[in-house]
Amino acid sequence: MPSTTTAAPARAGALPLLPAAAFVVVWCSGYVAGPAAVQAVSPFWALLLRFVVAAAVTAALAWRLRGPLRIRRAVLGRIALVGLMMNGVVFALMYLAFDAGMGATLASLLHALSPVLTVVLARVVLGERLGRLQVLGFVLGVVGVLVVLGPDVDEAGGVLGVGLGLLSLVGLSVGTLGQRWFHLDDGDPPDPLWSATVQFAVCVPPLALLAPLLEGVPSVTDPVAASVSVGWLALVNSVAGLLLLGLLVRRGGAGASSSLFFVCPPVTALMAWAAFGDTLTLREVLGIVVAVVGVGIATGVAGRRRAATSRECV
């Protein structure tokens, strides 16, 4: 998911339908392009190419639209650390899970739990209040994932694939909490385009080391598929997703994207069916419904609380 910082509006408003729908499609498409990419080229090389292209494009946009980089060094360090987690660690783990055999729908379902897990972690780490409905939503989300997994985890990449997917989920939630660093002592939030550039670019050096070290010379089984899937991940999923997210945050508040997560698993399932011919059993459909309801309950409660807080601060 594109991660950046954008100033939240004073009041949380309704999300504009077309950009919200476009963001869901763009976000979900990453769970289809990701498995396609690792089938065509090894995971770390795919990620490296993705972030090189994404960093180059966002840097050009930032320079053209914003001028030179003007972010204080302390804030820049925080942005880099969070970007390394949100992009490098989260996607490296998920791409390895794809390589192990995890499917697009389950990956989307795991990441859809991120807003709920973030609320739980905020309670544990920061002592923030956790409502009963949020607890219920989290429990339902976990139950839904377990139902989707069923008794045989081999179809999801085995213990390795599932474990990597769960670690990716934890990394996404930790990174989301870490984004609060951006505003600790700076009333003026950093520019989102330059922030995104830093967050993409910081992933390039470690991946440039890990890719040849762990995977050797890049193994490309299908050059056309590799080019299309990696290009889609870089230009559509990262750059276009970033711009759409910024629009949603400006119109609906900083929690805007979180409120859309609950629709992502069924949309991803439709995309996986169209792209790969993936079908779902009745048990998997039931699990997705349970998890989606849980995420919807939890993020709906969190969204209402954020809106109330925004109104109190006006």
Side-chain angles (χ1 to χ4, degrees), residues 24-237:
V24 169
V25 171
V26 166
W27 172 241
C28 294
S29 71
Y31 296 106
V32 175
V38 300
Q39 289 175 10
V41 62
S42 45
F44 284 127
W45 282 107
L47 267 182
L48 174 59
L49 293 171
R50 170 182 179 171
F51 289 132
V52 165
V53 174
V57 172
T58 52
L61 285 173
W63 185 270
R64 174 74 175 176
L65 300 176
R66 305 288 195 260
L69 174 65
R70 296 186 183 91
I71 300 177
R72 292 188 303 107
R73 184 174 300 177
V75 178
L76 195 64
R78 297 170 192 162
I79 292 172
L81 284 174
V82 173
L84 190 60
M85 173 62 72
M86 292 283 282
N87 291 310
V89 174
V90 167
F91 286 111
L93 290 168
M94 189 54 78
Y95 279 33
L96 289 174
F98 287 147
D99 196 45
M102 177 170 286
T105 303
L106 180 57
S108 176
L109 186 60
L110 286 175
H111 276 181
L113 292 178
S114 173
V116 191
L117 180 59
T118 301
V119 172
V120 175
L121 290 177
R123 172 68 180 90
V124 174
V125 177
L126 304 176
E128 295 185 359
R129 188 175 63 172
L130 185 63
R132 292 179 181 178
L133 284 178
Q134 289 172 305
V135 174
L136 173 63
F138 179 70
V139 171
L140 286 175
V142 172
V143 169
V145 169
L146 292 176
V147 172
V148 171
L149 279 173
D152 187 6
V153 299
D154 288 342
E155 295 181 0
V159 175
L160 176 61
V162 173
L164 289 167
L166 289 172
L167 288 174
S168 179
L169 163 62
V170 173
L172 184 56
S173 296
V174 170
T176 301
L177 284 179
Q179 291 198 58
R180 300 183 185 185
W181 278 358
F182 300 160
H183 307 283
L184 282 181
D185 55 2
D186 195 352
D188 184 23
D191 179 79
L193 277 175
W194 275 120
S195 296
T197 301
V198 172
Q199 291 183 322
F200 293 144
V202 74
C203 301
V204 172
L207 286 170
L209 292 174
L210 290 173
L213 182 65
L214 299 179
E215 298 172 347
V217 177
S219 174
V220 181
T221 57
D222 187 334
V224 174
S227 300
V228 171
S229 57
V230 172
W232 182 276
L233 288 166
L235 299 176
V236 177
N237 200 244

Side-chain angles (χ1 to χ4, degrees), residues 268-303:
T268 302
L270 288 174
M271 289 185 174
W273 169 76
F276 306 127
D278 291 356
T279 56
L280 299 174
T281 65
L282 181 60
R283 186 199 77 241
E284 291 170 328
V285 171
L286 177 62
I288 289 175
V289 170
V290 172
V292 162
V293 169
V295 174
I297 289 173
T299 55
V301 172

